[in-house]
Amino acid sequence: MPLALLALAVGAFGIGTTEFVMMGLLPDVADDLGISIPTAGHLVSAYALGVVIGAPLLAAVTTRMSRRAVLIALMALFVVGNALSAVAPGEISLLAARFVSGLPHGAFFGVGAVVATGMVAPERKARSVSLMFLGLTVANIVGVPAATAMGQQLGWRATFLGVSAIGVAAIAALAFLIPRDSAPAPTTGLRGELAALRSLPVWLALGTTVAGFGALFAAYSYITPMLTDAAGFAESSVTLLLALFGVGATAGNLLGGRLADHSLRGTLFGGLASLVVVLALFPLLMRTPVTAAASVALLGMAAFVTGSPLQLMVMEKAAAAPSLASSANQAAFNLANAGGAWIGGLALAAGFGATSPATAGAALAVLGLAVAATAWTVDRRRAVLAPVPGRERVVAGHVPEPVEAVRR
């Protein structure tokens, strides 16, 4: 694999760290700014909003730029956003800084996926994407715990300065490791990319991402009460158990990339089906500490097996607009985060029990399977109905005369 993929992974590591570290720093930020923890929670939402808005917007406005230059510019914006977070004097300015930090997130992964797949042979595309995403999953194992510990010892502002330093390292890696001629500017332009997004299979592919990862976040958003109330773990053990999720996610990401290079559709359907099974079994698995711990790792593995296939599925359905579609897929991931958490919360609030968010997640994973199947069915029908040179197509039951007869 090209060494340039390391540069993308470094950027992904920084982005993954800043996205999730706020959860661990909320009490410190709330105390320092004199606000409540629920109010501080808006900082998480501000980042997610930046991702959803920034992913398609920045991909669209940079469509004429070299993709190498776009990646460097996006990481520079990432550094600015985190540096502003470190020096923000109050709640409003910190909200704005977190929003800015989220803007480059989706576009970086979107454009990065296009660059990664363009540097390898066709049979290694999924693995190249999984190696970029490796930075994101490793961030959950190493980056987030380390950044949280730094914030608790040196203050939360030091954490964001540290993340800014990771961004600077990523800029250097991108500048030195990605060849200038490996990521030329796209030739379709903004109008061409927007036109390619009108395709129904593209929107069905994005819908698969929302439903599939919505299933994950329906359960993962409430994993702590599941582990404490249903499995009987002490709250002090939750951090270690969440590291198991990161290990499972990393293993699933690498496995999904390797398998998807052999069968994209098979890996996606298999991953979603395994996610249905794992989530459906949560009420049973949460009955003992050992099986509960295993279920956390299995959840990460089953969900992230689908990461690379979902990214490639969207890029495949929008072959004429890979950057914009790939970036839109990152916005879909964040919509899945918010929507899944909301649906899981509804199940919990309805009194269905501590593990009910997992059951709701299983239902969303089934929906994801149905949407993915519909996307491929639509594609197959379009291929069948596509006009063949030299032949007429049957339309509305009318069978035209053979071409030879018409000529006579």
Side-chain angles (χ1 to χ4, degrees):
M1 285 292 180
L3 190 60
L5 293 176
L6 176 62
L8 297 174
V10 173
F13 178 81
I15 289 173
T17 300
T18 200
E19 179 180 16
F20 294 109
V21 74
M22 183 55 75
M23 287 75 158
L25 294 178
L26 281 182
D28 303 273
V29 174
D31 288 343
D32 186 52
L33 298 182
I35 57 179
S36 67
I37 289 182
T39 300
H42 295 159
L43 297 167
V44 177
S45 302
Y47 184 92
L49 182 62
V51 177
V52 172
I53 293 176
L57 178 63
L58 293 180
V61 299
T62 58
T63 187
R64 288 294 186 183
M65 293 174 59
S66 157
R67 288 178 177 134
R68 175 180 179 274
V70 170
L71 288 171
I72 293 173
L74 290 171
M75 195 49 58
L77 181 58
F78 170 85
V79 171
V80 170
N82 282 280
L84 289 175
S85 298
V87 299
E91 176 194 355
I92 301 302
S93 57
L94 185 54
L95 280 168
R98 287 295 289 169
F99 175 80
V100 172
S101 299
L103 286 173
H105 177 131
F108 181 87
F109 281 109
V111 177
V114 177
V115 172
T117 56
M119 291 190 293
V120 298
E123 65 272 14
R124 290 178 173 266
K125 285 186 175 183
R127 266 175 281 187
S128 71
V129 173
S130 71
L131 289 175
M132 178 184 68
F133 282 154
L134 185 63
L136 183 64
T137 56
V138 170
N140 283 280
I141 304 174
V142 179
V144 173
T148 302
M150 176 187 291
Q152 292 169 345
Q153 296 298 319
L154 303 177
W156 63 270
R157 297 179 187 276
T159 294
F160 290 111
L161 286 176
V163 173
S164 296
I166 296 174
V168 172
I171 290 173
L174 292 167
F176 283 105
L177 296 181
I178 296 183
R180 292 181 181 275
D181 58 352
S182 71
T187 57
T188 56
L190 177 57
R191 181 175 298 180
E193 296 229 348
L194 289 174
L197 289 185
R198 296 173 187 167
S199 168
L200 177 59
V202 173
W203 287 101
L204 289 172
L206 293 172
T208 304
T209 296
V210 173
F213 266 77
L216 165 65
F217 288 111
Y220 188 65
S221 300
Y222 304 97
I223 196 70
T224 296
M226 285 193 227
L227 292 170
T228 55
D229 297 345
F233 281 101
E235 289 189 6
S236 57
S237 304
V238 172
T239 301
L240 180 60
L241 291 167
L242 294 183
L244 288 177
F245 175 85
V247 172
T250 300
N253 173 55
L254 292 174
L255 179 63
R258 183 168 291 273
L259 293 177
D261 279 330
H262 295 286
S263 174
L264 175 61
R265 181 166 56 178
T267 304
L268 177 59
F269 278 83
L272 288 172
S274 65
L275 188 57
V276 172
V277 173
V278 170
L279 289 171
L281 290 176
F282 250 56
L284 295 175
L285 295 173
M286 283 290 165
R287 292 181 179 179
T288 68
V290 173
T291 55
S295 70
V296 175
L298 288 173
L299 177 62
M301 178 175 288
F304 278 86
V305 159
T306 66
S308 299
L310 281 170
Q311 192 73 33
L312 286 178
M313 178 187 178
V314 172
M315 293 167 64
E316 177 186 273
K317 305 302 181 190
S323 296
L324 188 53
S326 186
S327 299
N329 196 46
Q330 295 302 313
F333 277 119
N334 277 266
L335 288 175
N337 189 338
W342 177 67
I343 291 173
L346 289 179
L348 203 58
F352 294 132
T355 59
S356 60
T359 305
L364 282 173
V366 171
L367 177 61
L369 277 168
V371 177
T374 303
W376 260 290
T377 300
V378 170
D379 257 359
R380 187 165 57 249
R381 288 180 177 175
R382 289 189 173 191
V384 170
L385 295 175
V388 179
R391 296 178 60 187
E392 294 289 330
R393 185 174 57 172
V394 177
V395 179
H398 171 67
V399 181
E401 295 181 1
V403 175
E404 292 79 8
V406 173
R407 286 175 180 168
R408 288 197 300 269

